[in-house]
Amino acid sequence: MELLFADDEPPLPGSDVPSPSIPPWKMLVVDDDPEVIAVTRLALTGFEFLGRRVQILSAHSGEAGREIFEREPDIAVALIDVVMETEDAGLRLVEFIRSGCDNHTTRVYLRTGQPGHAPVDRVIRDYDIDDYKEKTELTAQKLRTLLYSGLRAYRDITALQRQRDGMRRVILATSDILRTGSLREFASAVLGQLTELLGLRDTAIYCLVLPAQAAGGRSARTLAASGSLVQFADQGALDSLPPAIAARFQEALTRKESLHGDKDYVLYHRSFSGQENLLYVELTHPIASHERELLELYAINVSLTFENLSVMEEMQATQGEVVGMLGDAVEQLGTSSAAHVQRVARVSQALARAAGVDEATARLILLAAPLHDVGKVAVADSILLKAGALDPDEWAAMKAHTELGAELLARSRREVMQIAATIARGHHEHWDGSGYPSGLAGDAIPLVARVVSLADAFDSLASDRPYRVRWSDEQIRTYLQEQAGKRFDPQLVALLLGDFARYVALRAEVREA
């Protein structure tokens, strides 16, 4: 073993002291000779790479090596003896690492004291290894050189894998969040993925600065924040951020370029529409050029997504206003107030969320619910405004508003109108099958119709009508309990009554004009 120390050199003076908070690189030494393992440990005493020490794991057989790989998937480098309990134990272990564990990131180096048992050319050709050395070749310095090379390769391979996985997550996040129409959710998701991807601290913040308006200066919008900055996620002006970060953002805006510091990185990107994107991340180490490129890609991605979502949000807002005004107009024809449809819409959205409906559908319900009684435009005022009981012909005309409204709305191919048609047709169906127009029962009634039916009754009973005075909240609670399983979906009633105070408060937020 003397040759192992032939070229050993002391550590260079002034070398950085590794931080104890940074996890070490993991190295596995598999050899049936305890002295080889001991000498390897001694030769690598004090070794560090990129500020991280090396944790040396050891095994005395191929079988024991298997157990360690099953337990420790993040081994960076493995030094494996070929001949141990069998003449090919090391080769079998390599096969297990690559095929059994599907591990192609660990850098594997074979060592042998009996080269004749496994010829070098055949082993390198047939096995996925990085090198094959005789034990007498590995002096201490060569062992260190091998480890530097192996760790660099492992670092680069895992970085590429993280980038690939990160880009996949970014693409999936883009697709998912675009369906919900929430830029804040998108930015938060991708921000978390990015900091994990680059091995950064989880302290980061993303801001958007909109172009100056004619009536005032530029406005800022914080889209996402994490770590110690999460409390600033909903802030607007840059001067509401921590002074050091606000100063860095202002510097980037003035210079119109990204800023590279030892402890932080500020990314600057200007979109075609003039909006300026600012991303601040706290660094654990200086970032490489390919990591900067990924940060740039992130900013461009969020910037383009923001522009697309801004257009979509504007269209949805316009659509919502038109639907709301139409619903208000219908209600004013009858006995309800204009605020009724707004309250029904908001309660319906909240109830749909509680029932497990995804955010995109819940928003569509918010937009569609005001049109639940649109068919009443075809019902005579004498019927709508009648204070007494309706005769059979009048009641038939009143009930027809469900199908009339559904037929009117179904002419549109827009998703929100299709949902509105479903609601219009089904919001007077009863859970027990006693409703109209089709006498549907239970789950045969579309969920969106069941939700709006309950929300409509919840608000209507709290409002004055020509034929009755408003009910108290306690009367409404009792009535809903009695009608659970009869008129209303019992599970939806349980959700509403289980959080009754919140729904009462939500109803109160929209007041009469």
Side-chain angles (χ1 to χ4, degrees), residues 159 161-167 169-170 192-200 291 294:
Q161 287 185 334
R162 288 196 303 271
Q163 289 180 16
R164 180 196 63 193
D165 294 341
M167 289 307 303
R169 291 195 299 269
V170 167
Q193 293 163 359
L194 186 69
T195 53
E196 178 184 354
L197 174 65
L198 299 183
L200 307 174
E291 294 175 319
L294 190 59

Side-chain angles (χ1 to χ4, degrees), residues 410-432:
R411 296 174 186 174
S412 172
R413 295 182 180 179
R414 302 299 178 192
E415 188 176 12
V416 65
M417 293 303 179
Q418 291 296 316
I419 289 180
T422 299
I423 293 171
R425 186 183 301 276
H427 75 288
H428 281 295
E429 300 285 5
H430 293 174
W431 184 260
D432 62 5

